[in-house]
């Protein structure tokens, strides 16, 4: 892969608090432009609309890895036939992102958690007060499991599984909590190392 020079990024518009507002994101390295894309790049993006995202256009520099990453993402979050409701998959991603300090990812998945649960105030409490904020038994169990999986070293164990079962989650739903949190524990680290979030101005 060819070397890519670092970009100058203006940091004075970087958000300092977790929010459900839509944010921008600025990469440290130059993303590809649509005019650079080959058929292999388009296949890597999976969705052509992602060519509008600086994040995905940066990841498109390695299109095969991007394709694997995106298909994994979609299978975890867009496969609602069984297991955890979409709102709670997004809750696990939000809790993981809040714990890891990824303001951009937390904003995206908090909006989805609100959209699918219609519980904006509870989602905002998680963002404002952090992963220890009490919400209710089921959401608290999901947040605790997501955080335990994200800790270094991981503290996730049988007590978390028991708490999730006591909150009404079956095996498929618990698997979805684990996959949602694990995927974003990785994705947060990637995004935090490749650029910075930015406040969008009207």
């Amino acid at each position: 892969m060819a070397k890519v020079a670092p970009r100058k990024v203006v940091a004075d518009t970087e958000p300092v608090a977790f929010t459900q507002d839509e944010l921008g994101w600025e990469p440290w390295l130059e993303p590809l432009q649509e005019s650079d894309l080959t058929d292999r790049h388009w296949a890597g993006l999976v969705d052509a609309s992602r060519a509008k995202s600086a994040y995905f256009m940066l990841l498109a520099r390695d299109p095969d890895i991007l394709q694997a990453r995106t298909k994994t993402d979609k299978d975890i979050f867009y496969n609602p036939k069984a297991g955890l409701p979409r709102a709670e998959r997004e809750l696990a991603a939000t809790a993981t992102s809040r714990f890891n300090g990824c303001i951009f990812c937390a904003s995206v998945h908090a909006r989805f958690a609100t959209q699918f649960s219609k519980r904006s105030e509870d989602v905002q409490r998680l963002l404002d007060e952090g992963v220890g904020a009490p919400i209710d038994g089921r959401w608290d169990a999901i947040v605790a499991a997501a955080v335990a999986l994200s800790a270094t070293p991981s503290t996730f164990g049988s007590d978390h599984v028991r708490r999730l079962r006591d909150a009404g989650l079956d095996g498929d739903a618990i698997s979805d909590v684990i996959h949602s949190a694990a995927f974003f524990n990785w994705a947060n680290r990637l995004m935090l190392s490749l650029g910075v979030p930015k406040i969008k101005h009207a």
Side-chain angles (χ1 to χ4, degrees), residues 96 140-150 156 160-161 163-164 177-178 181:
T96 301
D140 291 351
I142 292 170
V143 169
V147 169
L149 280 161
S150 304
F156 183 82
H160 294 96
V161 174
R163 187 174 174 186
L164 290 168
V177 171
I178 292 170

Side-chain angles (χ1 to χ4, degrees), residues 18 94-95 98-99 122-135 140 143 147:
F18 287 89
T94 303
R98 179 65 176 82
F99 178 73
D122 288 332
V123 173
Q124 191 60 45
R125 185 177 307 124
L126 170 63
L127 295 180
D128 290 342
E129 300 177 25
V131 295
I135 301 174
D140 291 351
V143 169
V147 169

Side-chain angles (χ1 to χ4, degrees), residues 7-201:
R7 306 169 73 225
K8 183 177 181 180
V9 174
V10 177
D12 62 354
T13 58
E14 187 172 345
V16 295
F18 287 89
T19 177
Q20 295 187 54
D21 292 344
E22 187 174 350
L23 299 174
W25 183 81
E26 188 81 11
W28 298 116
L29 301 175
E30 194 67 41
L32 295 179
Q33 302 300 311
E34 284 196 42
S35 57
D36 300 324
L37 300 182
T38 65
D39 288 347
R40 187 173 165 216
H41 291 112
W42 285 112
L45 287 166
V46 179
D47 286 339
S49 63
R50 295 193 171 192
K52 305 300 181 188
S53 160
Y55 177 64
F56 290 113
M57 290 297 268
L58 180 60
L59 298 187
R61 290 189 173 279
D62 193 335
D64 297 336
I65 296 296
L66 172 59
Q67 185 178 59
R69 171 249 176 256
T70 301
K71 288 182 175 179
T72 301
D73 179 8
K74 285 184 171 293
D75 197 43
I76 292 171
F77 289 95
Y78 295 80
N79 182 6
K81 291 180 181 175
L84 204 63
R86 174 76 184 274
E88 292 172 336
R89 300 182 200 200
E90 299 294 347
L91 174 68
T94 303
T96 301
S97 302
R98 179 65 176 82
F99 178 73
N100 285 330
C102 188
I103 290 178
F104 183 89
C105 294
S107 75
V108 172
H109 295 280
R111 286 198 303 279
F112 280 135
T114 287
Q115 176 187 338
F116 289 102
S117 71
K118 311 302 181 192
R119 295 174 61 176
S120 178
E121 291 184 5
D122 288 332
V123 173
Q124 191 60 45
R125 185 177 307 124
L126 170 63
L127 295 180
D128 290 342
E129 300 177 25
V131 295
I135 301 174
D136 65 32
R138 182 176 172 103
W139 276 31
D140 291 351
I142 292 170
V143 169
V147 169
L149 280 161
S150 304
T152 304
S154 172
T155 58
F156 183 82
S158 57
D159 287 348
H160 294 96
V161 174
R162 190 175 304 110
R163 187 174 174 186
L164 290 168
R165 289 199 182 280
D166 289 346
L169 279 68
D170 62 14
D172 286 345
I174 292 170
S175 175
D176 286 333
V177 171
I178 292 170
H179 284 96
S180 300
F183 184 85
F184 266 88
N185 196 34
W186 167 80
N188 291 160
R189 285 161 168 75
L190 184 64
M191 189 148 229
L192 287 166
S193 65
L194 292 178
V196 292
K198 298 186 77 171
I199 296 170
K200 277 191 170 182
H201 296 290

